[in-house]
Amino acid sequence: EKVHRTLTDPRGWQKSKRIRFQRVDGDDYDFRIILATPDTTDDLCAPLDTGGEVSCRQQDRVVLNAKRWAVGVPDFGGDVDGYRSYLVNHEVGHALGEGHSACTDPGGPAPVMMQQTKGVGRCLPNPWPEVLAR
């Protein structure tokens, strides 16, 4: 439910990329979103070393680390719901061809493609890609 709400939120990729997401059953999909334990995340993300801590996009899989999903990260200040939206948007951003970015506007919102799981530096935590177009 949270993944669906995030992907269909008006602040999300649908606005920034002018695309639409549709949940489907079966094998006809562009990518699959998986919520996985840290050990399973490590396996599904290999050869990327997630160290049981981070998530990834690998081939047609968007793998969300359940540890991060459950507790978030310190820079989000306890806003686990906001962090979950960030996690979905960041990893789906990779599936859409987006690469990592950096904090270029100190005091402003961090780009969603910044690795906010590892910290936001002098930016503010931000779960939404809409700021890419500001």
Side-chain angles (χ1 to χ4, degrees):
E1 174 68 22
K2 174 63 178 174
V3 170
H4 178 76
R5 281 195 328 265
T6 297
L7 292 177
T8 58
D9 189 287
R11 296 168 290 179
W13 288 116
Q14 293 188 121
K15 179 178 181 181
S16 296
K17 291 258 193 197
R18 301 188 197 291
I19 58 171
R20 294 286 175 257
F21 294 102
Q22 180 178 352
R23 187 175 181 165
V24 297
D25 294 321
D27 294 331
D28 187 20
Y29 56 85
D30 294 318
F31 58 88
R32 179 174 26 165
I33 300 175
I34 303 164
L35 181 61
T37 66
D39 287 342
T40 301
T41 298
D42 288 345
D43 291 342
L44 293 173
C45 292
L48 178 68
D49 181 11
T50 61
E53 295 292 325
V54 296
S55 303
C56 77
R57 192 273 313 163
Q58 189 67 274
Q59 298 153 358
D60 66 350
R61 296 182 303 257
V62 170
V63 184
L64 307 177
N65 188 313
K67 176 181 177 181
R68 291 285 154 239
W69 187 264
V71 299
V73 294
D75 280 5
F76 270 74
D79 181 8
V80 176
D81 190 60
Y83 177 77
R84 288 174 180 164
S85 292
Y86 157 75
L87 193 60
V88 170
N89 281 319
H90 180 89
E91 298 305 337
V92 167
H94 287 308
L96 299 174
E98 297 291 328
H100 287 138
S101 57
C103 176
T104 57
D105 183 15
V112 79
M113 293 312 296
M114 182 178 171
Q115 291 177 294
Q116 295 180 50
T117 295
K118 297 179 178 181
V120 296
R122 297 186 321 166
C123 277
L124 301 173
N126 170 51
W128 302 106
E130 180 181 68
V131 298
L132 294 175
R134 61 178 201 136

PDB file of all heavy atoms in Angstrom, residues 1 24 26-27 35-36 39 63 71 74 85-86 88 91 96 102 104 121 126-127 129:
ATOM      1  N   GLU A   1       0.828  -1.191   0.000  1.00  0.00           N
ATOM      2  CA  GLU A   1       0.000   0.000   0.000  1.00  0.00           C
ATOM      3  C   GLU A   1       0.879   1.265   0.000  1.00  0.00           C
ATOM      4  O   GLU A   1       0.628   2.187  -0.747  1.00  0.00           O
ATOM      5  CB  GLU A   1      -0.948  -0.043   1.208  1.00  0.00           C
ATOM      6  CG  GLU A   1      -1.767   1.197   1.391  1.00  0.00           C
ATOM      7  CD  GLU A   1      -2.812   1.434   0.313  1.00  0.00           C
ATOM      8  OE1 GLU A   1      -3.211   0.482  -0.368  1.00  0.00           O
ATOM      9  OE2 GLU A   1      -3.209   2.594   0.142  1.00  0.00           O
ATOM     10  N   VAL A  24       0.686  -4.527 -11.588  1.00  0.00           N
ATOM     11  CA  VAL A  24       0.237  -5.636 -12.427  1.00  0.00           C
ATOM     12  C   VAL A  24       0.532  -6.967 -11.725  1.00  0.00           C
ATOM     13  O   VAL A  24       1.422  -7.068 -10.888  1.00  0.00           O
ATOM     14  CB  VAL A  24       0.920  -5.639 -13.811  1.00  0.00           C
ATOM     15  CG1 VAL A  24       0.557  -4.392 -14.589  1.00  0.00           C
ATOM     16  CG2 VAL A  24       2.423  -5.766 -13.690  1.00  0.00           C
ATOM     17  N   GLY A  26       1.409 -11.100 -12.561  1.00  0.00           N
ATOM     18  CA  GLY A  26       1.985 -11.891 -13.637  1.00  0.00           C
ATOM     19  C   GLY A  26       3.392 -11.462 -13.984  1.00  0.00           C
ATOM     20  O   GLY A  26       4.065 -10.765 -13.229  1.00  0.00           O
ATOM     21  N   ASP A  27       3.824 -11.861 -15.164  1.00  0.00           N
ATOM     22  CA  ASP A  27       5.213 -11.676 -15.576  1.00  0.00           C
ATOM     23  C   ASP A  27       5.439 -10.520 -16.541  1.00  0.00           C
ATOM     24  O   ASP A  27       6.551 -10.330 -17.012  1.00  0.00           O
ATOM     25  CB  ASP A  27       5.724 -12.968 -16.223  1.00  0.00           C
ATOM     26  CG  ASP A  27       5.790 -14.111 -15.231  1.00  0.00           C
ATOM     27  OD1 ASP A  27       5.991 -13.838 -14.031  1.00  0.00           O
ATOM     28  OD2 ASP A  27       5.639 -15.268 -15.652  1.00  0.00           O
ATOM     29  N   LEU A  35      10.384  -6.033  -0.940  1.00  0.00           N
ATOM     30  CA  LEU A  35      10.792  -5.689   0.416  1.00  0.00           C
ATOM     31  C   LEU A  35      11.444  -6.933   0.991  1.00  0.00           C
ATOM     32  O   LEU A  35      10.810  -7.977   1.096  1.00  0.00           O
ATOM     33  CB  LEU A  35       9.575  -5.268   1.246  1.00  0.00           C
ATOM     34  CG  LEU A  35       9.824  -4.843   2.692  1.00  0.00           C
ATOM     35  CD1 LEU A  35      10.737  -3.618   2.748  1.00  0.00           C
ATOM     36  CD2 LEU A  35       8.500  -4.554   3.387  1.00  0.00           C
ATOM     37  N   ALA A  36      12.730  -6.854   1.331  1.00  0.00           N
ATOM     38  CA  ALA A  36      13.499  -8.045   1.680  1.00  0.00           C
ATOM     39  C   ALA A  36      14.310  -7.842   2.955  1.00  0.00           C
ATOM     40  O   ALA A  36      14.741  -6.725   3.257  1.00  0.00           O
ATOM     41  CB  ALA A  36      14.444  -8.400   0.528  1.00  0.00           C
ATOM     42  N   ASP A  39      19.682  -9.920   4.764  1.00  0.00           N
ATOM     43  CA  ASP A  39      20.416 -11.005   4.112  1.00  0.00           C
ATOM     44  C   ASP A  39      19.928 -11.249   2.689  1.00  0.00           C
ATOM     45  O   ASP A  39      20.728 -11.443   1.772  1.00  0.00           O
ATOM     46  CB  ASP A  39      20.318 -12.307   4.921  1.00  0.00           C
ATOM     47  CG  ASP A  39      21.155 -12.278   6.195  1.00  0.00           C
ATOM     48  OD1 ASP A  39      22.068 -11.430   6.297  1.00  0.00           O
ATOM     49  OD2 ASP A  39      20.894 -13.112   7.086  1.00  0.00           O
ATOM     50  N   VAL A  63      14.988  -3.475  -4.875  1.00  0.00           N
ATOM     51  CA  VAL A  63      15.045  -4.210  -3.612  1.00  0.00           C
ATOM     52  C   VAL A  63      15.142  -3.206  -2.469  1.00  0.00           C
ATOM     53  O   VAL A  63      16.106  -2.435  -2.380  1.00  0.00           O
ATOM     54  CB  VAL A  63      16.250  -5.175  -3.583  1.00  0.00           C
ATOM     55  CG1 VAL A  63      16.242  -5.995  -2.300  1.00  0.00           C
ATOM     56  CG2 VAL A  63      16.236  -6.087  -4.814  1.00  0.00           C
ATOM     57  N   VAL A  71      12.999   1.058  10.335  1.00  0.00           N
ATOM     58  CA  VAL A  71      13.496   2.055  11.289  1.00  0.00           C
ATOM     59  C   VAL A  71      13.961   3.364  10.665  1.00  0.00           C
ATOM     60  O   VAL A  71      14.234   4.316  11.384  1.00  0.00           O
ATOM     61  CB  VAL A  71      14.625   1.471  12.171  1.00  0.00           C
ATOM     62  CG1 VAL A  71      14.126   0.295  12.972  1.00  0.00           C
ATOM     63  CG2 VAL A  71      15.842   1.088  11.354  1.00  0.00           C
ATOM     64  N   PRO A  74      18.869   8.119  10.749  1.00  0.00           N
ATOM     65  CA  PRO A  74      18.897   9.265  11.660  1.00  0.00           C
ATOM     66  C   PRO A  74      18.576  10.611  11.009  1.00  0.00           C
ATOM     67  O   PRO A  74      17.882  11.440  11.607  1.00  0.00           O
ATOM     68  CB  PRO A  74      20.329   9.248  12.204  1.00  0.00           C
ATOM     69  CG  PRO A  74      20.747   7.822  12.124  1.00  0.00           C
ATOM     70  CD  PRO A  74      20.092   7.296  10.871  1.00  0.00           C
ATOM     71  N   SER A  85       8.994   6.789   1.736  1.00  0.00           N
ATOM     72  CA  SER A  85       8.725   7.408   0.431  1.00  0.00           C
ATOM     73  C   SER A  85      10.035   7.701  -0.291  1.00  0.00           C
ATOM     74  O   SER A  85      10.154   7.464  -1.496  1.00  0.00           O
ATOM     75  CB  SER A  85       7.917   8.693   0.597  1.00  0.00           C
ATOM     76  OG  SER A  85       6.620   8.406   1.060  1.00  0.00           O
ATOM     77  N   TYR A  86      11.013   8.218   0.446  1.00  0.00           N
ATOM     78  CA  TYR A  86      12.330   8.458  -0.156  1.00  0.00           C
ATOM     79  C   TYR A  86      12.907   7.165  -0.723  1.00  0.00           C
ATOM     80  O   TYR A  86      13.393   7.132  -1.853  1.00  0.00           O
ATOM     81  CB  TYR A  86      13.308   9.053   0.874  1.00  0.00           C
ATOM     82  CG  TYR A  86      14.735   8.783   0.481  1.00  0.00           C
ATOM     83  CD1 TYR A  86      15.334   9.495  -0.554  1.00  0.00           C
ATOM     84  CD2 TYR A  86      15.456   7.746   1.075  1.00  0.00           C
ATOM     85  CE1 TYR A  86      16.622   9.197  -0.964  1.00  0.00           C
ATOM     86  CE2 TYR A  86      16.742   7.450   0.676  1.00  0.00           C
ATOM     87  CZ  TYR A  86      17.320   8.165  -0.348  1.00  0.00           C
ATOM     88  OH  TYR A  86      18.579   7.862  -0.775  1.00  0.00           O
ATOM     89  N   VAL A  88      11.523   4.364  -1.706  1.00  0.00           N
ATOM     90  CA  VAL A  88      10.829   3.939  -2.927  1.00  0.00           C
ATOM     91  C   VAL A  88      11.232   4.836  -4.090  1.00  0.00           C
ATOM     92  O   VAL A  88      11.635   4.359  -5.159  1.00  0.00           O
ATOM     93  CB  VAL A  88       9.294   3.961  -2.732  1.00  0.00           C
ATOM     94  CG1 VAL A  88       8.565   3.761  -4.059  1.00  0.00           C
ATOM     95  CG2 VAL A  88       8.865   2.910  -1.712  1.00  0.00           C
ATOM     96  N   GLU A  91      15.101   4.355  -5.219  1.00  0.00           N
ATOM     97  CA  GLU A  91      15.411   3.110  -5.938  1.00  0.00           C
ATOM     98  C   GLU A  91      14.629   2.992  -7.239  1.00  0.00           C
ATOM     99  O   GLU A  91      15.161   2.518  -8.246  1.00  0.00           O
ATOM    100  CB  GLU A  91      15.195   1.898  -5.032  1.00  0.00           C
ATOM    101  CG  GLU A  91      16.100   1.869  -3.806  1.00  0.00           C
ATOM    102  CD  GLU A  91      17.597   1.967  -4.091  1.00  0.00           C
ATOM    103  OE1 GLU A  91      18.049   1.644  -5.204  1.00  0.00           O
ATOM    104  OE2 GLU A  91      18.331   2.378  -3.173  1.00  0.00           O
ATOM    105  N   LEU A  96      14.342   4.011 -13.437  1.00  0.00           N
ATOM    106  CA  LEU A  96      13.959   4.957 -14.493  1.00  0.00           C
ATOM    107  C   LEU A  96      15.176   5.574 -15.182  1.00  0.00           C
ATOM    108  O   LEU A  96      15.043   6.451 -16.018  1.00  0.00           O
ATOM    109  CB  LEU A  96      13.073   6.065 -13.907  1.00  0.00           C
ATOM    110  CG  LEU A  96      11.751   5.605 -13.295  1.00  0.00           C
ATOM    111  CD1 LEU A  96      11.036   6.778 -12.631  1.00  0.00           C
ATOM    112  CD2 LEU A  96      10.867   4.946 -14.342  1.00  0.00           C
ATOM    113  N   ALA A 102      24.159  14.943  -5.730  1.00  0.00           N
ATOM    114  CA  ALA A 102      24.720  15.473  -4.491  1.00  0.00           C
ATOM    115  C   ALA A 102      23.907  16.672  -4.010  1.00  0.00           C
ATOM    116  O   ALA A 102      23.103  17.233  -4.749  1.00  0.00           O
ATOM    117  CB  ALA A 102      26.172  15.894  -4.732  1.00  0.00           C
ATOM    118  N   THR A 104      23.464  20.200  -3.684  1.00  0.00           N
ATOM    119  CA  THR A 104      23.999  21.393  -4.345  1.00  0.00           C
ATOM    120  C   THR A 104      23.335  22.670  -3.841  1.00  0.00           C
ATOM    121  O   THR A 104      23.669  23.761  -4.290  1.00  0.00           O
ATOM    122  CB  THR A 104      23.813  21.300  -5.874  1.00  0.00           C
ATOM    123  OG1 THR A 104      22.422  21.128  -6.148  1.00  0.00           O
ATOM    124  CG2 THR A 104      24.615  20.136  -6.439  1.00  0.00           C
ATOM    125  N   GLY A 121      24.093  15.595   4.499  1.00  0.00           N
ATOM    126  CA  GLY A 121      25.045  16.705   4.493  1.00  0.00           C
ATOM    127  C   GLY A 121      24.392  17.983   4.963  1.00  0.00           C
ATOM    128  O   GLY A 121      23.710  18.001   5.983  1.00  0.00           O
ATOM    129  N   ASN A 126      14.597  14.803   2.086  1.00  0.00           N
ATOM    130  CA  ASN A 126      13.523  15.025   1.108  1.00  0.00           C
ATOM    131  C   ASN A 126      13.165  13.719   0.416  1.00  0.00           C
ATOM    132  O   ASN A 126      14.018  13.105  -0.214  1.00  0.00           O
ATOM    133  CB  ASN A 126      13.973  16.048   0.058  1.00  0.00           C
ATOM    134  CG  ASN A 126      12.997  16.109  -1.092  1.00  0.00           C
ATOM    135  OD1 ASN A 126      11.803  16.253  -0.901  1.00  0.00           O
ATOM    136  ND2 ASN A 126      13.513  15.970  -2.293  1.00  0.00           N
ATOM    137  N   PRO A 127      11.906  13.300   0.499  1.00  0.00           N
ATOM    138  CA  PRO A 127      11.511  12.052  -0.132  1.00  0.00           C
ATOM    139  C   PRO A 127      11.019  12.163  -1.582  1.00  0.00           C
ATOM    140  O   PRO A 127      10.733  11.148  -2.205  1.00  0.00           O
ATOM    141  CB  PRO A 127      10.368  11.556   0.766  1.00  0.00           C
ATOM    142  CG  PRO A 127       9.784  12.779   1.370  1.00  0.00           C
ATOM    143  CD  PRO A 127      10.901  13.788   1.443  1.00  0.00           C
ATOM    144  N   PRO A 129      10.909  13.479  -5.721  1.00  0.00           N
ATOM    145  CA  PRO A 129      11.687  13.927  -6.887  1.00  0.00           C
ATOM    146  C   PRO A 129      11.225  15.250  -7.462  1.00  0.00           C
ATOM    147  O   PRO A 129      11.940  15.845  -8.255  1.00  0.00           O
ATOM    148  CB  PRO A 129      11.494  12.795  -7.909  1.00  0.00           C
ATOM    149  CG  PRO A 129      10.219  12.143  -7.527  1.00  0.00           C
ATOM    150  CD  PRO A 129      10.102  12.303  -6.032  1.00  0.00           C
TER     151      PRO A 129
END
